């Protein structure tokens, strides 16, 4: 289960053909709650009222700003303690990297809220989780951080891959 996937649709789902066949009925459903529109040849769409979408966007920006201010008031160890329940792998990061994670996490949260695009946030958390996984495996950490010894041969060009 992907814990970053937020499901804005609690159960209202229609097919694309329903939108084409009876748009007023689908719009009435969207007045009550967001509607997931399934498509045969694409990612589902979510149909929702504009006022709710605007409120969600404004709420995300406000929450990100409040989070940034709250995190600034805490020490790096306080920030880490606050985030450990959601990200237990933080325990594996060295303190210097833990401090950088909190900076990156806060900045990505605010930037994504401002832009309304959350891909950067997801990528930031995913990359830090991968970093923690490297620290959790001593042999992998040693292999990735140690000196490169020997010649591994010719590196193929981009068009050869």
């Amino acid at each position: 289960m992907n814990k970053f996937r937020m499901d804005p649709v609690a159960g209202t789902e229609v097919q694309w053909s329903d939108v084409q066949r009876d748009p007023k009925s689908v719009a009435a459903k969207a007045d009550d709650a967001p509607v997931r529109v399934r498509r045969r040849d694409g990612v589902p769409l979510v149909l929702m009222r504009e006022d709710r979408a605007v409120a969600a966007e404004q709420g995300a920006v406000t929450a990100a700003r409040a989070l940034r201010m709250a995190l600034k008031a805490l020490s790096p160890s306080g920030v880490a303690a606050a985030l450990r329940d959601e990200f237990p792998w933080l325990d594996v990061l060295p303190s210097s990297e833990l401090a950088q994670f909190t900076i990156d996490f806060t900045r990505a949260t605010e930037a994504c809220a401002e832009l309304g695009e959350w891909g950067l946030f997801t990528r930031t958390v995913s990359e830090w989780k991968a970093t923690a996984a490297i620290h959790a495996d001593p042999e992998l950490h040693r292999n990735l951080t140690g000196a490169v010894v020997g010649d591994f041969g010719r590196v193929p060009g981009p068009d050869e891959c």
Side-chain angles (χ1 to χ4, degrees):
M1 180 173 158
N2 185 345
K3 62 177 18 175
F4 294 110
R5 180 170 182 255
M6 294 188 60
D7 192 351
V9 184
T12 306
E13 186 171 299
V14 298
Q15 298 297 318
W16 180 253
S17 59
D18 297 329
V19 176
Q20 295 172 311
R21 195 174 38 254
D22 190 5
K24 287 184 180 183
S25 172
V26 174
K29 290 178 182 180
D31 276 335
D32 295 333
V35 175
R36 176 177 286 120
V37 181
R38 290 258 177 224
R39 300 183 298 168
R40 219 176 314 167
D41 298 328
V43 175
L45 303 174
V46 176
L47 179 64
M48 64 187 305
R49 290 183 7 194
E50 181 182 27
D51 60 332
R52 289 185 176 150
V54 168
E57 183 178 335
Q58 290 172 342
V61 170
T62 301
R65 288 178 178 157
L67 176 63
R68 181 192 59 180
M69 297 309 293
L71 293 178
K72 279 185 177 182
L74 296 172
S75 67
S77 61
V79 172
L83 296 175
R84 273 195 173 91
D85 282 344
E86 184 63 26
F87 308 114
W89 44 263
L90 291 178
D91 289 335
V92 179
L93 293 176
S95 59
S96 63
E97 292 191 28
L98 184 57
Q100 187 60 51
F101 167 79
T102 62
I103 291 167
D104 292 353
F105 177 86
T106 304
R107 291 180 62 94
T109 301
E110 186 174 17
C112 292
E114 294 284 342
L115 296 171
E117 296 291 333
W118 291 91
L120 171 64
F121 178 81
T122 302
R123 189 173 69 236
T124 299
V125 171
S126 177
E127 288 172 356
W128 275 107
K129 185 176 181 180
T131 300
I134 291 168
H135 283 288
D137 182 338
E139 184 177 343
L140 179 59
H141 185 267
R142 195 171 30 261
N143 290 339
L144 293 174
T145 59
V148 176
V149 178
D151 183 353
F152 294 105
R154 182 181 166 280
V155 176
D159 56 340
E160 299 176 70
C161 293

